[in-house]
Amino acid sequence: MKATFEIIENNINCTQEVIKQCLNRIMEVRVLEINLNQNTISVDYFRPSVYERIKRELYCLGLSVGEPIVFTELQEH
């Protein structure tokens, strides 16, 4: 499933590359886009339980995210 997360913090102290490397440690996640100007991260993941792992990894960087906005197949077209 594809989803977008909003980063809650306004002062992000890490780069897009650092966030991507952090999330790439989770095998079930593929990073689609990181937009630090809009404070969003778009990912593709396979199970709803992976969301908790994403939150934990980002928390290690000092970031917290809101609930995901999940895109269904119909919304993508």
Side-chain angles (χ1 to χ4, degrees), residues 1-2 5-6 11 13 30 32 37 47 49 52 55 61-63 73 75:
M1 72 181 77
K2 293 181 181 172
F5 303 95
E6 182 178 358
N11 54 350
N13 295 325
R30 183 171 57 110
L32 301 174
N37 293 328
R47 292 177 293 182
S49 62
E52 291 301 320
K55 281 178 35 177
L61 293 176
L63 303 175
E73 294 292 325
Q75 289 174 322

Side-chain angles (χ1 to χ4, degrees), residues 4-6 21 25 36 39 47 51 55:
T4 298
F5 303 95
E6 182 178 358
Q21 287 175 353
R25 289 192 280 176
L36 296 181
N39 288 358
R47 292 177 293 182
Y51 170 64
K55 281 178 35 177

Side-chain angles (χ1 to χ4, degrees), residues 1-6 40-43 45 51 66-72 75:
M1 72 181 77
K2 293 181 181 172
T4 298
F5 303 95
E6 182 178 358
T40 59
I41 300 172
S42 298
V43 296
Y45 59 100
Y51 170 64
E67 292 298 312
I69 301 169
V70 179
F71 297 96
T72 62
Q75 289 174 322

Side-chain angles (χ1 to χ4, degrees), residues 2-16:
K2 293 181 181 172
T4 298
F5 303 95
E6 182 178 358
I7 303 170
I8 295 172
E9 283 81 21
N10 289 331
N11 54 350
I12 300 169
N13 295 325
C14 53
T15 64
Q16 290 180 346

